[in-house]
Amino acid sequence: TSSASHYRTLIATSIAVYPTVSLTIIMSADKVTAEAVKEEIVGKLVTPAGNACPLGVRLAWHSAGTYDKNDGTGGTNGATMRYEMEANDGANAGLEKARDMVVAVKTKYPDMSISDIWALTGAAAVEKTGGPKIPVGLGRVDQTDCTKCPPNGRLPDATQGAQHLRDVFYRQGFNDQEIVALSGAHTLGSCHKDRSGFEGPWTNDPTKFDNSYFTNLLELEWTPREWDGPLQYQDPSGELMMLPTDLALIQDEKFKPFVELYAKDQEAFFKDFSAAFSKLLSNGCPASVMKSMEAMA
């Protein structure tokens, strides 16, 4: 077998016999396996029927974004969105499609946890759409029941403003710069009225990961859309949209400088997004996940 767990067993046995063998070698199998799994994931997300990479990012993000640093609950470890208690959170509407897409990956790699697969799905989707490399360690452990599901309501509410963003992200251990960097994930995808209630894309190419979300925020005029849905903003063409939490990034004096930085420097955005998204996917995970990630670097 080519599974990382099998390699670990073999190498750990070797280390017991030959103590001078580097422990880092144990994790070398993780890198090989992670890349193979990401390739498999991309094959499920990108098909002749379309490109579901934005949905893959959302799956990983929403799985991770429930983390609470105060009690260690939530986060990617456990893959608790498999259970109705978390799956039925309104913020997760439509994500059953993404979860179903990667079921076959678990079948092919049975030794890998679903929570590792979901984390790798987010990384693979960002990378496939032209974004930065996202470091993801392995070693998450799936929960066997719903008792560890975080309470609903921990994910961002797009109808809110800057203080709400800080409440949600500070709870996870992020600062203002990281909040803005992570918000840049809105460069991908579109809102769907039957899921979030909102409608439309943030950028002209919703399957390309770049800094156009930030340039659009600064360079286009945003006015409230007159329609039968919740408050959202539209550009002069009426084709692009922004949410109240998006506009908060340029209305808040501490957030705005980071928007300006990322609008003019895509490399800075990629660097900061990679670090913040990797942190998001690692929050609340076993220490072995961080060790695995460090060994893959």
Side-chain angles (χ1 to χ4, degrees):
T1 178
S2 60
S3 71
S5 62
H6 179 68
Y7 282 138
R8 282 198 191 93
T9 301
L10 290 178
I11 297 169
T13 301
S14 297
I15 289 173
V17 179
Y18 305 105
T20 57
V21 176
S22 172
L23 286 171
T24 303
I25 299 176
I26 294 178
M27 300 303 180
S28 66
D30 282 356
K31 187 170 186 177
V32 173
T33 303
E35 293 306 313
V37 171
K38 285 196 290 185
E39 184 176 344
E40 189 75 15
I41 289 167
V42 167
K44 305 303 179 186
L45 296 178
V46 183
T47 69
N51 186 333
C53 284
L55 194 61
V57 173
R58 184 167 168 248
L59 171 63
W61 207 111
H62 283 219
S63 173
T66 57
Y67 177 66
D68 188 333
K69 68 177 184 180
N70 298 301
D71 59 13
T73 60
T76 55
N77 193 55
T80 49
M81 202 195 301
R82 291 172 294 145
Y83 301 106
E84 287 188 11
M85 185 182 303
E86 185 173 345
N88 289 340
D89 187 327
N92 292 329
L95 284 178
E96 67 279 357
K97 296 178 181 179
R99 296 194 299 270
D100 289 346
M101 285 179 187
V102 297
V103 165
V105 179
K106 173 65 173 175
T107 302
K108 185 168 182 178
Y109 294 91
D111 292 336
M112 181 171 287
S113 67
I114 295 172
S115 29
D116 274 345
I117 290 171
W118 288 359
L120 288 171
T121 296
V126 168
E127 294 165 15
K128 178 62 177 178
T129 52
K133 185 82 171 176
I134 308 297
V136 178
L138 304 181
R140 295 167 186 78
V141 180
D142 295 335
Q143 291 295 333
T144 56
D145 57 41
C146 65
T147 57
K148 298 294 185 180
C149 285
N152 288 182
R154 287 190 177 182
L155 295 167
D157 176 354
T159 67
Q160 302 295 313
Q163 186 55 53
H164 171 72
L165 286 176
R166 289 192 171 96
D167 290 343
V168 168
F169 284 94
Y170 284 9
R171 187 201 71 227
Q172 300 174 66
F174 292 108
N175 59 32
D176 286 355
Q177 171 261 312
E178 292 169 314
I179 292 173
V180 178
L182 287 171
S183 297
H186 281 173
T187 195
L188 292 178
S190 302
C191 287
H192 302 271
K193 194 173 181 181
D194 61 340
R195 299 176 192 173
S196 64
F198 300 101
E199 186 175 69
W202 291 269
T203 69
N204 287 311
D205 190 346
T207 58
K208 181 181 180 182
F209 196 100
D210 58 19
N211 68 337
S212 59
Y213 167 76
F214 297 110
T215 58
N216 287 352
L217 265 175
L218 292 175
E219 296 175 4
L220 299 178
E221 180 183 0
W222 298 100
T223 56
R225 177 182 177 182
E226 295 182 5
W227 73 316
D228 62 353
L231 174 63
Q232 66 177 63
Y233 298 84
Q234 64 182 11
D235 75 323
S237 74
E239 296 179 358
L240 302 179
M241 70 97 213
M242 290 286 170
L243 304 169
T245 44
D246 297 314
L247 268 291
L249 301 182
I250 57 173
Q251 294 165 344
D252 184 274
E253 63 179 14
K254 293 184 179 179
F255 285 150
K256 189 174 181 180
F258 296 112
V259 175
E260 294 170 334
L261 169 63
Y262 299 147
K264 69 181 180 182
D265 189 342
Q266 181 169 278
E267 185 177 343
F269 166 50
F270 276 24
K271 177 177 178 290
D272 289 349
F273 180 85
S274 175
F277 197 52
S278 179
K279 176 178 174 179
L280 177 73
L281 298 177
S282 301
N283 277 343
C285 290
S288 58
V289 172
M290 290 303 298
K291 291 179 181 177
S292 167
M293 184 164 61
E294 290 167 1
M296 286 191 220

